[in-house]
Amino acid sequence: MSVLCCSREAAGLATQKASRANRVASIFCKPLAGCRAHHLLGSSVRTARANRTVVQAASMDIGTHSSSSSKEELIQDAIAWCAQHGLVYGAGTDCLLVHAPFALTPVPFPRQAFERALDAAEPFNSMIDMVSQDAGYLTEVLENAAQEDAAFTGELMRIYKDTRQQKQPEEEISLVITRSDYMLHDPTSTMLQVELNTIASSFGCLSTLVSQLHRYILDKSGIPESELDKKLPQNTSMDSIVQGLASAVQEHGHQDKTMMMVVQPDEQNSFDQQWLQLQLWTTYRIRTIRRTLLDIAERAVLQEDGSLMIDGTTVSLAYFRAGYTPTDYPSRKEWDARTIIEMSNAAKCPTIAMQLAGSKKVQQDLARPGVVEKFSRSDSDAAGMRTCFAGLWGLDDLENDTEASNAVQDAIKNPDLYVLKPQREGGGNNLYGQDMVDRLQRKQGLGALILMQRIIPPPHTVTMIRRGVAEDIESLSELGIYGVLLRKGSNVLVNHRAGQLVRTKASTSSEGGVAAGYAVLDSVQLVD
């Protein structure tokens, strides 16, 4: 699960800090000499500062089309649509629902950048799957992080090492539902990756519904269908993710055909998850059971043949929508549950190796010269992925790493151009501004963190609707592209992109997770 990584005053930074952003470009972007990535970086979105002007001029605006529906009526219509179509969210108390937070209309996004993000999905899927299979690489890269973050990363590494030798790799069924998150960097008009998520990539179902809502609202506001067809891309995330889950259950082959969704207690986003359950049953006759890690620790049994049973049912697929944050493991019982699942022959989404492969430290290391190339299917795949990398630096060897040391010193002098990230998911964990400076200056324990270039996206005005209240806010948006990869042993059975998600939040907020309360759900309208 990812968060928006951007500026508190991004609208102002996009212009006021442009000269400083260009000055540190030599630190942020160092593609391999002679590599095709160097040419792609310059040519991928050659609109320079025209991006914002083009987007604003070409986007669809409900205010410019004649319609009998006022904006206020459309807002009330949209809220009703959410209730009628299941675009809902837990309100924090028993049996109480509200519509999910959403933007009234889709955010303009350059078509070329959107298509590049779609094209990168399969290469990123394949690359991160190869990383997850390289035990030596994972152990080496995460060694310092595991020592300095012993209570979480260290525990994940312990389970990984303890279980790896006891499993049959040729029989392991690994499913990963990725989401690669991007933002447009306004000073250079390039699309940069925020992170690649490999566990609990949420909102696939609600993002599909938001895309449908936006088409309905724009259609009702009077925009011609031909224009909608041209500018609103299809969003298949719900169907594509369900198909991936079903494929893993079918590959396991047990007659019970049961997916166990590993969930957090009192999950507010259960309705996004329950859309998956509904579609799995109605389309594939696959049953879903919802269990917490504590439930699994207390009631699951590992059979002699490796089967995982709970409450009399054999589990074909363990699908994690929990387990990505330390608070999911309040006692040893939850860690024991994770071990039981990993030891079983059930398909896993993700395996513990895949969760580790998606860590911030691995993301940073992959950006080093020659590393992503090692795990890529082809030179062209590697070059395309490398164009998406923002500036990333590891902090575990600052005495010998001159480039990282220089970046740290620049971050202390220019904190608005950087963000400090721990090995955490779920929102609210990153450090910005003076908090980042203070942490960098403490020095001890930096090996569990990475330093990242701060992405400064172009701002736009959005009507955000939360709990029935609409507000026009200057905002920033993040695009997420889902992907699905299924592998048994060394054979990749499925690898494809799987729709998209947009999250939009106020330009004054550094964080941006919807579940964490910072952002609203959105979709894209493409502009040329």
Side-chain angles (χ1 to χ4, degrees), residues 44-59:
S44 58
V45 190
R46 276 190 198 275
T47 53
R49 279 189 213 292
N51 254 355
R52 191 184 308 174
T53 302
V54 171
V55 165
Q56 291 175 343
S59 61

Side-chain angles (χ1 to χ4, degrees), residues 284-469:
Y284 299 97
R285 312 306 287 178
I286 291 173
R287 179 187 175 210
T288 301
I289 56 175
R290 299 171 62 85
R291 300 291 184 270
T292 66
L293 285 168
L294 184 59
D295 293 334
I296 296 163
E298 294 179 342
R299 305 207 300 270
V301 177
L302 187 62
Q303 304 287 76
E304 289 186 7
D305 64 354
S307 298
L308 179 64
M309 291 196 68
I310 187 167
D311 301 331
T313 298
T314 297
V315 175
S316 291
L317 168 64
Y319 172 44
F320 286 89
R321 294 296 291 261
Y324 54 83
T325 180
T327 56
D328 288 337
Y329 302 91
S331 73
R332 294 305 312 174
K333 286 186 176 182
E334 285 79 10
W335 288 114
D336 291 343
R338 191 65 191 271
T339 302
I340 291 171
I341 294 170
E342 195 66 23
M343 285 292 296
S344 76
N345 65 17
K348 301 163 194 75
C349 181
T351 64
I352 205 160
M354 182 61 76
Q355 181 175 349
L356 289 167
S359 65
K360 303 294 192 298
K361 179 58 185 175
V362 171
Q363 178 187 4
Q364 172 266 312
D365 194 75
L366 287 167
R368 292 193 302 114
V371 180
V372 75
E373 288 76 10
K374 173 184 176 182
F375 296 106
S376 299
R377 299 176 302 184
S378 66
D379 291 343
S380 61
D381 275 3
M385 287 185 284
R386 190 166 285 281
T387 65
C388 301
F389 291 159
L392 294 158
W393 300 270
L395 305 178
D396 42 6
D397 190 19
L398 292 177
E399 290 185 4
N400 298 309
D401 189 339
T402 302
E403 184 177 340
S405 180
N406 290 340
V408 168
Q409 294 305 312
D410 195 66
I412 292 172
K413 295 177 182 177
N414 302 288
D416 50 8
L417 297 178
Y418 297 83
V419 56
L420 194 61
K421 291 187 170 186
Q423 308 300 312
R424 296 289 184 270
E425 305 293 340
N429 299 300
N430 297 334
L431 296 178
Y432 301 86
Q434 191 59 45
D435 291 337
M436 178 191 68
V437 171
D438 293 344
R439 183 65 185 88
L440 288 173
Q441 290 178 331
R442 288 210 310 270
K443 296 185 179 180
Q444 186 177 2
L446 290 178
L449 306 169
I450 69 165
L451 185 65
M452 182 176 174
Q453 170 190 359
R454 198 167 190 174
I455 305 171
I456 304 171
H460 51 277
T461 300
V462 170
T463 301
M464 294 185 179
I465 304 172
R466 293 187 179 94
R467 293 177 175 260
V469 178

Side-chain angles (χ1 to χ4, degrees), residues 17 21 108 125 191 197 208 322 357 366 416 454 475 488:
K17 308 301 182 182
N125 286 349
M191 184 182 66
N197 302 277
T208 297
L366 287 167
D416 50 8
R454 198 167 190 174
S475 305
K488 182 173 184 180

Side-chain angles (χ1 to χ4, degrees), residues 12-252:
L13 283 172
T15 53
Q16 297 172 15
K17 308 301 182 182
S19 61
R20 272 198 283 170
N22 291 332
R23 177 173 57 78
V24 297
S26 60
I27 299 177
F28 288 164
C29 301
K30 290 194 174 181
L32 299 181
C35 178
R36 184 180 166 213
H38 177 76
H39 304 290
L40 290 174
L41 186 62
S43 62
S44 58
V45 190
R46 276 190 198 275
T47 53
R49 279 189 213 292
N51 254 355
R52 191 184 308 174
T53 302
V54 171
V55 165
Q56 291 175 343
S59 61
M60 294 180 286
D61 184 355
I62 59 174
T64 62
H65 291 264
S66 59
S67 173
S68 59
S69 298
S70 68
K71 181 177 178 180
E72 290 73 20
E73 289 173 331
L74 288 173
I75 290 170
Q76 294 305 313
D77 205 3
I79 293 171
W81 192 100
C82 291
Q84 294 160 349
H85 293 82
L87 183 49
V88 294
Y89 203 71
T93 57
D94 292 342
C95 300
L96 184 62
L97 305 178
V98 295
H99 66 81
F102 67 95
L104 182 61
T105 55
V107 60
F109 202 88
R111 185 182 301 273
Q112 184 181 15
F114 178 76
E115 291 175 350
R116 283 183 57 232
L118 292 181
D119 291 342
E122 290 184 17
F124 272 115
N125 286 349
S126 177
M127 180 273 294
I128 207 67
D129 181 56
M130 293 183 190
V131 169
S132 74
Q133 297 177 71
D134 193 325
Y137 174 77
L138 286 177
T139 301
E140 179 183 359
V141 170
L142 292 171
E143 180 178 8
N144 286 340
Q147 292 175 358
E148 297 182 9
D149 182 31
F152 184 65
T153 306
E155 284 294 321
L156 292 174
M157 283 298 298
R158 178 189 62 79
I159 296 173
Y160 172 60
K161 292 176 179 178
D162 289 348
T163 60
R164 190 173 64 85
Q165 299 297 334
Q166 302 180 50
K167 297 189 294 184
Q168 297 178 310
E170 68 277 4
E171 295 298 323
E172 182 175 63
I173 303 173
S174 171
L175 174 67
V176 61
I177 298 169
T178 61
R179 195 184 69 229
S180 185
D181 294 332
Y182 303 93
M183 301 184 85
L184 287 172
H185 187 51
D186 199 39
T188 59
S189 295
T190 54
M191 184 182 66
L192 300 179
Q193 186 183 59
V194 178
E195 65 182 341
L196 179 63
N197 302 277
T198 61
I199 182 170
S201 299
S202 61
F203 291 114
C205 296
L206 296 192
S207 70
T208 297
L209 296 177
V210 169
S211 295
Q212 295 171 2
L213 167 64
H214 282 164
R215 186 177 182 95
Y216 167 76
I217 290 297
L218 293 174
D219 180 32
K220 194 167 185 181
S221 70
I223 294 177
E225 186 174 356
S226 60
E227 190 172 355
L228 298 178
D229 291 340
K230 179 182 178 181
K231 294 187 175 181
L232 300 184
Q234 292 293 314
N235 189 356
T236 64
S237 53
M238 185 188 301
D239 290 343
S240 296
I241 291 170
V242 167
Q243 184 180 33
L245 296 169
S247 296
V249 171
Q250 292 163 351
E251 188 62 33
H252 183 268

